[in-house]
Amino acid sequence: MLYDRMDTGLIEFVRTCIRSVWALELLFFVRSQADQSWSIERLVREQRSSERAVRDALEAFVRAGLVQQVDDAFVYRPATPEIENLVTRLADTYAERPTAVIRMIVAAPEDRLQAFLDAFRLKRD
C-alpha cells in the first residue's frame, strides 16, 4: 500500500475528516487564505463548485475543528495546535506523495461502508 509509511494519526485524520480530493483542495485553499473569512456563495464562485458541495465540506470541517463559522462566514482556524500540525503534515505529504493521499481518501468510504456492513453481519454460532 502506498500510504503504509504514513503515521496512523494522519491516516485516521484523513479517513474521518476529508471526504473527497475536492474537499482536501478546499481545505488547502481556505488555509492558504487564513486571513480571510469566506461565505459559502463566495467559495462557490471561487472554487467553481456547487453550493451543496461547499456547504457539506465546510460543515465537516467545522465538526473536525478545522474551520470556524463566524456568522455566515467561515475562517480557517484549527481548534488546537495538534489539528494544525495534522493539516501541515497532510499538506506536506500531499505535496510529496499525492497519489498516496488520494488513495487514502478514495479508500475511506469503502472502509466506512465495510464497517457498517460488518456491524450487521450475522455471526455463526
Side-chain angles (χ1 to χ4, degrees):
M1 201 173 284
L2 288 175
Y3 54 86
D4 60 353
R5 292 173 290 176
M6 292 183 205
D7 67 79
T8 56
L10 186 59
I11 293 169
E12 186 62 24
F13 174 70
V14 169
R15 288 184 173 171
T16 59
C17 300
I18 309 297
R19 304 280 180 186
S20 66
V21 175
W22 181 87
L24 178 67
E25 294 289 340
L26 178 64
L27 176 63
F28 291 157
F29 175 77
V30 296
R31 181 178 186 242
S32 73
Q33 307 288 324
D35 60 332
Q36 295 186 41
S37 60
W38 297 90
S39 68
I40 289 174
E41 296 78 19
R42 189 169 162 218
L43 282 170
V44 166
R45 284 190 311 272
E46 188 72 31
Q47 296 295 301
R48 298 183 182 148
S49 186
S50 72
E51 180 178 335
R52 180 69 180 190
V54 170
R55 185 178 305 279
D56 288 351
L58 289 173
E59 288 173 358
F61 295 162
V62 168
R63 284 191 306 274
L66 296 165
V67 301
Q68 185 176 43
Q69 185 172 359
V70 180
D71 298 322
D72 290 334
F74 297 82
V75 63
Y76 178 79
R77 192 173 295 148
T80 67
E82 292 80 16
I83 293 173
E84 173 60 28
N85 185 346
L86 282 168
V87 175
T88 298
R89 288 180 12 231
L90 178 57
D92 292 345
T93 303
Y94 189 57
E96 294 170 11
R97 300 182 349 205
T99 303
V101 174
I102 290 168
R103 286 187 181 200
M104 196 181 344
I105 292 168
V106 171
E110 292 175 12
D111 294 345
R112 287 189 289 268
L113 177 60
Q114 189 60 53
F116 176 77
L117 293 173
D118 288 346
F120 290 95
R121 188 177 309 253
L122 295 176
K123 296 181 181 180
R124 295 183 184 194
D125 294 325

mmCIF file of all heavy atoms in Angstrom, residues 13 18 22-32 61 66-67 76 87 90:
data_model
loop_
_atom_site.group_PDB
_atom_site.id
_atom_site.type_symbol
_atom_site.label_atom_id
_atom_site.label_comp_id
_atom_site.label_asym_id
_atom_site.label_seq_id
_atom_site.Cartn_x
_atom_site.Cartn_y
_atom_site.Cartn_z
ATOM 1 N N PHE A 13 -6.950 10.825 10.545
ATOM 2 C CA PHE A 13 -7.410 12.193 10.285
ATOM 3 C C PHE A 13 -8.023 12.294 8.892
ATOM 4 O O PHE A 13 -9.126 12.813 8.714
ATOM 5 C CB PHE A 13 -6.243 13.164 10.443
ATOM 6 C CG PHE A 13 -6.560 14.573 10.060
ATOM 7 C CD1 PHE A 13 -7.404 15.342 10.837
ATOM 8 C CD2 PHE A 13 -6.004 15.127 8.919
ATOM 9 C CE1 PHE A 13 -7.699 16.655 10.487
ATOM 10 C CE2 PHE A 13 -6.289 16.436 8.564
ATOM 11 C CZ PHE A 13 -7.135 17.195 9.339
ATOM 12 N N ILE A 18 -11.706 14.106 5.792
ATOM 13 C CA ILE A 18 -11.600 14.510 4.393
ATOM 14 C C ILE A 18 -12.406 13.525 3.553
ATOM 15 O O ILE A 18 -12.017 12.370 3.397
ATOM 16 C CB ILE A 18 -10.125 14.556 3.921
ATOM 17 C CG1 ILE A 18 -9.252 15.367 4.873
ATOM 18 C CG2 ILE A 18 -10.055 15.072 2.491
ATOM 19 C CD1 ILE A 18 -9.621 16.825 5.000
ATOM 20 N N TRP A 22 -11.587 16.826 -3.687
ATOM 21 C CA TRP A 22 -12.060 18.201 -3.827
ATOM 22 C C TRP A 22 -12.123 18.888 -2.453
ATOM 23 O O TRP A 22 -11.712 20.037 -2.317
ATOM 24 C CB TRP A 22 -13.439 18.243 -4.502
ATOM 25 C CG TRP A 22 -13.901 19.641 -4.657
ATOM 26 C CD1 TRP A 22 -13.620 20.475 -5.696
ATOM 27 C CD2 TRP A 22 -14.668 20.397 -3.718
ATOM 28 N NE1 TRP A 22 -14.182 21.712 -5.453
ATOM 29 C CE2 TRP A 22 -14.827 21.681 -4.248
ATOM 30 C CE3 TRP A 22 -15.235 20.108 -2.482
ATOM 31 C CZ2 TRP A 22 -15.531 22.684 -3.596
ATOM 32 C CZ3 TRP A 22 -15.942 21.107 -1.827
ATOM 33 C CH2 TRP A 22 -16.079 22.378 -2.385
ATOM 34 N N ALA A 23 -12.616 18.195 -1.437
ATOM 35 C CA ALA A 23 -12.672 18.765 -0.091
ATOM 36 C C ALA A 23 -11.262 19.062 0.426
ATOM 37 O O ALA A 23 -11.043 20.083 1.093
ATOM 38 C CB ALA A 23 -13.405 17.830 0.866
ATOM 39 N N LEU A 24 -10.326 18.193 0.118
ATOM 40 C CA LEU A 24 -8.937 18.433 0.507
ATOM 41 C C LEU A 24 -8.419 19.718 -0.135
ATOM 42 O O LEU A 24 -7.803 20.554 0.531
ATOM 43 C CB LEU A 24 -8.061 17.248 0.096
ATOM 44 C CG LEU A 24 -6.574 17.378 0.384
ATOM 45 C CD1 LEU A 24 -6.309 17.380 1.880
ATOM 46 C CD2 LEU A 24 -5.820 16.234 -0.292
ATOM 47 N N GLU A 25 -8.694 19.884 -1.409
ATOM 48 C CA GLU A 25 -8.274 21.101 -2.111
ATOM 49 C C GLU A 25 -8.951 22.333 -1.509
ATOM 50 O O GLU A 25 -8.322 23.389 -1.382
ATOM 51 C CB GLU A 25 -8.579 20.987 -3.609
ATOM 52 C CG GLU A 25 -7.779 19.921 -4.323
ATOM 53 C CD GLU A 25 -6.309 20.256 -4.480
ATOM 54 O OE1 GLU A 25 -5.942 21.442 -4.381
ATOM 55 O OE2 GLU A 25 -5.525 19.324 -4.723
ATOM 56 N N LEU A 26 -10.210 22.215 -1.143
ATOM 57 C CA LEU A 26 -10.913 23.335 -0.500
ATOM 58 C C LEU A 26 -10.253 23.675 0.832
ATOM 59 O O LEU A 26 -10.033 24.844 1.150
ATOM 60 C CB LEU A 26 -12.388 23.012 -0.296
ATOM 61 C CG LEU A 26 -13.208 24.092 0.409
ATOM 62 C CD1 LEU A 26 -13.269 25.369 -0.427
ATOM 63 C CD2 LEU A 26 -14.600 23.581 0.721
ATOM 64 N N LEU A 27 -9.927 22.659 1.612
ATOM 65 C CA LEU A 27 -9.252 22.886 2.884
ATOM 66 C C LEU A 27 -7.934 23.624 2.676
ATOM 67 O O LEU A 27 -7.646 24.602 3.362
ATOM 68 C CB LEU A 27 -9.009 21.568 3.615
ATOM 69 C CG LEU A 27 -8.217 21.664 4.918
ATOM 70 C CD1 LEU A 27 -8.966 22.486 5.962
ATOM 71 C CD2 LEU A 27 -7.902 20.267 5.437
ATOM 72 N N PHE A 28 -7.146 23.166 1.726
ATOM 73 C CA PHE A 28 -5.868 23.828 1.462
ATOM 74 C C PHE A 28 -6.078 25.256 0.962
ATOM 75 O O PHE A 28 -5.287 26.142 1.266
ATOM 76 C CB PHE A 28 -5.031 23.026 0.472
ATOM 77 C CG PHE A 28 -4.517 21.719 1.020
ATOM 78 C CD1 PHE A 28 -4.160 20.692 0.160
ATOM 79 C CD2 PHE A 28 -4.380 21.496 2.385
ATOM 80 C CE1 PHE A 28 -3.669 19.491 0.650
ATOM 81 C CE2 PHE A 28 -3.896 20.294 2.884
ATOM 82 C CZ PHE A 28 -3.535 19.289 2.007
ATOM 83 N N PHE A 29 -7.141 25.477 0.207
ATOM 84 C CA PHE A 29 -7.420 26.827 -0.277
ATOM 85 C C PHE A 29 -7.743 27.765 0.882
ATOM 86 O O PHE A 29 -7.154 28.841 0.991
ATOM 87 C CB PHE A 29 -8.573 26.819 -1.287
ATOM 88 C CG PHE A 29 -8.971 28.188 -1.722
ATOM 89 C CD1 PHE A 29 -8.204 28.884 -2.640
ATOM 90 C CD2 PHE A 29 -10.102 28.799 -1.195
ATOM 91 C CE1 PHE A 29 -8.556 30.169 -3.026
ATOM 92 C CE2 PHE A 29 -10.468 30.076 -1.576
ATOM 93 C CZ PHE A 29 -9.688 30.767 -2.500
ATOM 94 N N VAL A 30 -8.683 27.378 1.748
ATOM 95 C CA VAL A 30 -9.029 28.282 2.858
ATOM 96 C C VAL A 30 -7.853 28.433 3.814
ATOM 97 O O VAL A 30 -7.672 29.488 4.413
ATOM 98 C CB VAL A 30 -10.326 27.872 3.602
ATOM 99 C CG1 VAL A 30 -11.532 27.967 2.689
ATOM 100 C CG2 VAL A 30 -10.222 26.507 4.229
ATOM 101 N N ARG A 31 -7.039 27.408 3.919
ATOM 102 C CA ARG A 31 -5.829 27.515 4.748
ATOM 103 C C ARG A 31 -4.861 28.533 4.162
ATOM 104 O O ARG A 31 -4.250 29.311 4.890
ATOM 105 C CB ARG A 31 -5.161 26.149 4.857
ATOM 106 C CG ARG A 31 -3.916 26.144 5.718
ATOM 107 C CD ARG A 31 -3.366 24.730 5.801
ATOM 108 N NE ARG A 31 -2.254 24.652 6.715
ATOM 109 C CZ ARG A 31 -1.028 24.308 6.361
ATOM 110 N NH1 ARG A 31 -0.753 23.992 5.103
ATOM 111 N NH2 ARG A 31 -0.075 24.237 7.254
ATOM 112 N N SER A 32 -4.729 28.548 2.855
ATOM 113 C CA SER A 32 -3.812 29.493 2.217
ATOM 114 C C SER A 32 -4.320 30.933 2.308
ATOM 115 O O SER A 32 -3.547 31.869 2.111
ATOM 116 C CB SER A 32 -3.596 29.119 0.744
ATOM 117 O OG SER A 32 -4.740 29.426 -0.034
ATOM 118 N N PHE A 61 -15.725 20.276 8.080
ATOM 119 C CA PHE A 61 -14.546 20.961 8.613
ATOM 120 C C PHE A 61 -14.836 21.597 9.972
ATOM 121 O O PHE A 61 -13.985 21.582 10.855
ATOM 122 C CB PHE A 61 -14.040 22.030 7.650
ATOM 123 C CG PHE A 61 -13.511 21.500 6.338
ATOM 124 C CD1 PHE A 61 -13.378 22.350 5.257
ATOM 125 C CD2 PHE A 61 -13.152 20.169 6.169
ATOM 126 C CE1 PHE A 61 -12.882 21.894 4.049
ATOM 127 C CE2 PHE A 61 -12.662 19.690 4.967
ATOM 128 C CZ PHE A 61 -12.524 20.559 3.899
ATOM 129 N N LEU A 66 -11.492 22.232 12.057
ATOM 130 C CA LEU A 66 -10.572 22.799 11.076
ATOM 131 C C LEU A 66 -10.894 24.246 10.745
ATOM 132 O O LEU A 66 -9.992 25.046 10.527
ATOM 133 C CB LEU A 66 -10.593 21.972 9.791
ATOM 134 C CG LEU A 66 -10.098 20.545 9.935
ATOM 135 C CD1 LEU A 66 -10.503 19.715 8.730
ATOM 136 C CD2 LEU A 66 -8.598 20.542 10.121
ATOM 137 N N VAL A 67 -12.162 24.550 10.644
ATOM 138 C CA VAL A 67 -12.599 25.913 10.365
ATOM 139 C C VAL A 67 -13.618 26.316 11.425
ATOM 140 O O VAL A 67 -14.210 25.467 12.097
ATOM 141 C CB VAL A 67 -13.212 26.097 8.954
ATOM 142 C CG1 VAL A 67 -12.238 25.725 7.869
ATOM 143 C CG2 VAL A 67 -14.498 25.323 8.805
ATOM 144 N N TYR A 76 -10.524 29.676 8.298
ATOM 145 C CA TYR A 76 -9.639 28.592 8.684
ATOM 146 C C TYR A 76 -9.066 28.926 10.057
ATOM 147 O O TYR A 76 -8.361 29.916 10.234
ATOM 148 C CB TYR A 76 -8.499 28.429 7.659
ATOM 149 C CG TYR A 76 -7.527 27.343 8.050
ATOM 150 C CD1 TYR A 76 -7.841 26.010 7.835
ATOM 151 C CD2 TYR A 76 -6.313 27.654 8.639
ATOM 152 C CE1 TYR A 76 -6.963 25.014 8.201
ATOM 153 C CE2 TYR A 76 -5.426 26.659 9.006
ATOM 154 C CZ TYR A 76 -5.755 25.339 8.785
ATOM 155 O OH TYR A 76 -4.883 24.345 9.163
ATOM 156 N N VAL A 87 -2.820 19.089 9.681
ATOM 157 C CA VAL A 87 -3.058 19.704 8.371
ATOM 158 C C VAL A 87 -1.726 20.011 7.683
ATOM 159 O O VAL A 87 -1.574 19.783 6.477
ATOM 160 C CB VAL A 87 -3.940 20.956 8.490
ATOM 161 C CG1 VAL A 87 -4.086 21.653 7.138
ATOM 162 C CG2 VAL A 87 -5.317 20.604 9.044
ATOM 163 N N LEU A 90 -0.336 16.790 6.489
ATOM 164 C CA LEU A 90 -1.113 16.340 5.338
ATOM 165 C C LEU A 90 -0.714 17.115 4.083
ATOM 166 O O LEU A 90 -0.534 16.522 3.019
ATOM 167 C CB LEU A 90 -2.609 16.489 5.616
ATOM 168 C CG LEU A 90 -3.542 16.094 4.489
ATOM 169 C CD1 LEU A 90 -3.317 14.646 4.057
ATOM 170 C CD2 LEU A 90 -4.998 16.303 4.933
#
